[in-house]
Amino acid sequence: MTTQAVDAPASAPQRPAGGQRRRRSGIERRQNVGWLFIAPFLVVFAAFLVFPLVYAFGMSLFSSTLATGTKFVGIDNYLKAFTDPLFLGGMGRVLLYAIVMIPAQLIVAGVAALLLDTLATWLSKASRLLIFAPYAIPVVIGALMWSFLYSPRFGPASTIFDLFGLDAPNFLSSDNIFFSLVNIVTWQWSGYYMIVIYAALRAIDPAIYEAARIDGASGFQIATRVKVPMISSSMIMVITFALIGTLQFFTEPTVLRSVASGALPADYTPNMYAFALAFSYSQFNYAATIAFSLGILVFLGSFGFLFLTRKQNGLK
Amino acid sequence: MKSKLLAASGVVAVAAAALTGCSAGDAAESCTNEIVNPDATQVSVWAWYPAFEEVVDLFNQNHDDVQICWTNAGQGNDEYTKFSTAIESGSGAPDVIMLEAEVLSSFSIRDALVDLSEYGAAEVKDDYTEGAWKDVSSGDAVYAIPVDGGPMGMLYRKDILDQYGIPVPTTWDEFAAAAKTLKDAGAPGVLADFPPNGRAYTQALFAQAGSVPFDYDNAKPGEIGIDVADQGSKDALSFWADLADQGLVAVDEAFTADYNTMLVDGTYAIYVAAAWGPGYLQGLEGTDENAVWQAAPVPQWDASNPVQINWGGSTFAVTSQAKDPEAAAVVAKEVFGTEEAWKIGIEQAALFPLWKPILESDYFRDLEYPFFGGQQINKDVFLDAAAGYAGFTFSPFQNYAYDQLQQEVTAVVVDGSKDASTALDDLQATLETYATEQGFELK
């Protein structure tokens, strides 16, 4: 963008050569100053993102097994990764999570934001804070807290179910762990997405609502026919965040593993698998491959999603 | 947005950053303890023993030429993760490290440990039992000096067994009968727990039934024999699966907050445990006030032919990054090589010594434990267990083997989706595939 703007006057015809040069060098000087400002970012970016990525990619091209030495294998590790049932199984699992969890988060966040947008009492401020609060709790702490709430002995579930003469389900069993995790993530993130959607709603000109009301639209109709379409680009952004977050699912199952390791194997999600490979099984090269493959899939997934929704998200 | 997408490959960055930068810290610079003789050679040590600080101080006071610089780098896997990363990056490991016997092969195959036979390990060999020495050595090579062990016994709630008129089981058959009696009497708890994530515990119970899962020699690191689907293991696993199926034992995961509470609040009447079990119990909250704990030998399959087993136990190994392996070996050999050091370990941290001078002393044999109402548990139970333990061979990919074992055991006793025989056959196949992939030749 900037280069084009700079080039434009330079290529403009019929200008005295001297003036052109002077102006150009002035702009160049300004450009150089710009580099100074972004240099700190570039250094950090290169040191902590570009270099590790390159390094990890390099590692993924080698193979080092326990009994033999390290050797160059090219893309063999990638061929292995994309036929590895543990990696593919983990991918399948996070996709299933994406299908269940993203709509759940979106519905909770969307409904809360629409309701708060309509309310204008002191209650709405308090509610906004309350719904947002879980996001302010560190993910690890939140997951630890839920691991206690789910606990058959310490959790409130058995007391509550006892009131109705029922046996509480074991939230940490293999059958229930899926929805237990969906619940934690939804609880944690809906508040954040609600704020994003709420902010988008506040940016809409109230005159539009008035026009809709004059046309005879009910509150529900305004919400679904006017507000939702107008904030679709924010919705797309929220879904993209949620999609990336879900495909990288790691913290919550890792924390819950300490109380439910039977229901959550070490390769439950691709991220966990990469972690286990590197730090439990000493397979650093293959771990780099898995991590890189996951990165590629997440990139393709989010890129594909943004491409499919390019009409709504304004990135066209 | 773009940086968000790039952050998607975050784990790459985390893993790589851990490999390159974070591990380069120099352990020798930051000792938890104070150095008594600043001019002496310093040896950095990673260890997580409780009450270890006093042991370190004692060592430093008694040595003019060598000083310990101690850091607690976390317990178990936390420490191993750091160590593993340090090995991979080539720097950052301490000179001496506390390792459980079960992971020695996993590290020696990566050339992370020094063979102590070159540094006078033979001098102290006779100070340890045969089983303890076998756990740390492989052929002529010695990869660590044993410290404490986990000979297994059975801790039981005398008050609960008495209440239901159950005799203390000495065989697994009696154990099963006791479980049934307790359940039929409508007791609120169960006889015991069979944790699906017991790992080393499960392995020990299998070993009692004759399982010798791995045939491995560090001197020939390219070969391994795997035999995890033997009849003994299958019988032992079906025994527990059967009890679990009938609801006679619990299958709660071990080492969770829930489990810890149930251990001490009377939910489980029996805790099949290692010698460090009492120390573990003492540290827990929610203890039943009426609890009367006693220790007895671990139940046997064949009472006339008892088999002793071991669960856990730690060692000191010298790492291949040690700046002065000679001095490091002195630390490994001598830090727990005095009676004073062991009295701290035994009385404050409930460690079970493998060092014979204290193990065979009258002091240790006759020690009365207030937790067991003054019972001399060493004389009654654990000394025999330790003496009868013949040693065990772990695989060089023990963590992987444990993870797979845990999944199969969960499938059997929790989900009920497999029977014991199928599960262990599957485990055999999984481990064989893994070993082959890792470049091992199967014996």
Side-chain angles (χ1 to χ4, degrees), chain B residues 173-241:
Chain B
D173 283 340
E174 289 175 22
F175 185 87
K180 192 154 175 10
T181 312
L182 194 69
K183 165 110 176 180
D184 290 347
V190 289
L191 189 70
D193 183 41
F194 181 68
N197 64 343
R199 296 159 69 107
Y201 169 76
T202 314
Q203 191 76 79
L205 290 179
F206 287 2
Q208 196 191 21
S211 165
V212 183
F214 301 107
D215 175 8
Y216 179 71
D217 181 352
N218 285 312
K220 289 183 207 146
E223 291 175 22
I224 188 165
I226 300 173
D227 183 17
V228 293
D230 59 300
Q231 199 53 46
S233 300
K234 287 181 177 178
D235 290 346
L237 185 54
S238 346
F239 172 80
W240 287 100

Side-chain angles (χ1 to χ4, degrees), chain B residues 238-297:
Chain B
S238 346
F239 172 80
W240 287 100
D242 192 36
L243 290 182
D245 197 36
Q246 299 174 54
L248 300 180
V249 295
V251 285
D252 302 312
E253 304 241 327
F255 314 117
T256 66
D258 273 17
Y259 170 80
N260 286 343
T261 312
M262 292 189 280
L263 267 185
V264 291
D265 75 356
T267 305
Y268 312 138
I270 286 179
Y271 173 33
V272 179
W276 46 262
Y280 185 70
L281 289 180
Q282 275 170 314
L284 300 178
E285 284 173 23
T287 312
D288 184 349
E289 284 172 15
N290 305 318
V292 181
W293 284 96
Q294 291 279 284

Side-chain angles (χ1 to χ4, degrees), chain B residues 126-152:
Chain B
D126 293 337
D127 287 343
Y128 299 93
T129 59
E130 215 172 298
W133 198 255
K134 185 166 181 271
D135 281 356
V136 298
S137 57
S138 187
D140 291 334
V142 179
Y143 290 99
I145 303 294
V147 177
D148 77 313
M152 283 179 74

Side-chain angles (χ1 to χ4, degrees), chain B residues 79-94:
Chain B
E79 188 202 66
Y80 305 155
T81 301
K82 289 185 188 123
F83 185 38
S84 177
T85 313
I87 298 165
E88 192 68 17
S89 69
S91 71

Side-chain angles (χ1 to χ4, degrees), chain A:
Chain A
M1 284 295 242
T2 29
T3 17
Q4 268 178 347
V6 170
D7 283 347
S11 58
Q14 277 108 39
R15 285 270 184 144
Q20 198 181 59
R21 201 181 305 132
R22 208 179 307 136
R23 175 180 297 195
R24 202 173 185 184
S25 66
I27 289 167
E28 266 171 12
R29 204 177 306 130
R30 240 186 293 155
Q31 264 188 324
N32 292 340
V33 172
W35 282 110
L36 254 178
F37 280 104
I38 60 166
F41 165 75
L42 277 184
V43 169
V44 173
F45 181 75
F48 292 107
L49 205 67
V50 178
F51 173 72
L53 278 174
V54 171
Y55 186 84
F57 181 70
M59 274 181 81
S60 72
L61 300 179
F62 288 85
S63 164
S64 159
T65 61
L66 287 174
T68 55
T70 304
K71 62 173 190 283
F72 182 78
V73 294
I75 61 160
D76 277 9
N77 279 335
Y78 288 91
L79 296 177
K80 185 177 160 198
F82 285 98
T83 52
D84 184 342
L86 297 180
F87 176 60
L88 297 178
M91 269 327 284
R93 219 169 274 132
V94 291
L95 284 178
L96 205 60
Y97 271 105
I99 291 169
V100 176
M101 210 144 66
I102 296 174
Q105 293 177 71
L106 206 65
I107 289 168
V108 174
V111 168
L114 286 169
L115 284 177
L116 290 179
D117 190 42
T118 335
L119 298 171
T121 58
W122 62 270
L123 197 65
S124 77
K125 274 186 187 165
S127 317
R128 206 163 64 211
L129 198 68
L130 279 177
I131 301 172
F132 182 71
Y135 178 70
I137 297 171
V139 182
V140 173
I141 307 293
L144 272 176
M145 192 190 82
W146 275 103
S147 76
F148 276 94
L149 288 174
Y150 286 151
S151 151
R153 190 145 286 249
F154 304 113
S158 56
T159 321
I160 295 169
F161 277 78
D162 273 352
L163 288 178
F164 304 97
L166 297 168
D167 278 338
N170 180 3
F171 297 109
L172 300 173
S173 71
S174 326
D175 296 337
N176 297 333
I177 198 79
F178 184 88
F179 287 102
S180 299
L181 283 167
V182 167
N183 174 51
I184 299 180
V185 176
T186 308
W187 171 86
Q188 184 104 44
W189 286 89
S190 292
Y192 173 71
Y193 297 144
M194 177 205 69
I195 294 292
V196 174
I197 297 173
Y198 180 76
L201 284 173
R202 300 309 282 181
I204 298 174
D205 185 352
I208 295 172
Y209 303 150
E210 210 177 320
R213 231 170 272 126
I214 290 168
D215 284 347
S218 68
F220 182 74
Q221 279 172 325
I222 292 178
T224 53
R225 305 271 178 85
V226 179
K227 290 182 177 180
V228 171
M230 290 196 80
I231 56 161
S232 62
S233 65
S234 298
M235 293 284 220
I236 298 294
M237 188 177 85
V238 164
I239 296 176
T240 313
F241 284 171
L243 184 69
I244 294 170
T246 309
L247 294 179
Q248 295 187 60
F249 207 18
F250 178 77
T251 314
E252 292 86 354
T254 304
V255 171
L256 279 202
R257 223 175 109 69
S258 63
V259 292
S261 53
L264 294 165
D267 45 53
Y268 194 68
T269 74
N271 252 349
M272 289 169 73
Y273 185 38
F275 186 85
L277 280 170
F279 298 114
S280 298
Y281 309 154
S282 316
Q283 293 182 43
F284 293 90
N285 300 84
Y286 191 47
T289 313
I290 292 290
F292 228 87
S293 306
L294 174 66
I296 293 166
L297 290 177
V298 171
F299 180 82
L300 289 178
S302 33
F303 186 82
F305 177 76
L306 287 174
F307 180 78
L308 288 176
T309 57
R310 62 194 183 284
K311 273 201 183 123
Q312 287 81 27
N313 64 21
L315 290 178
K316 193 166 39 166

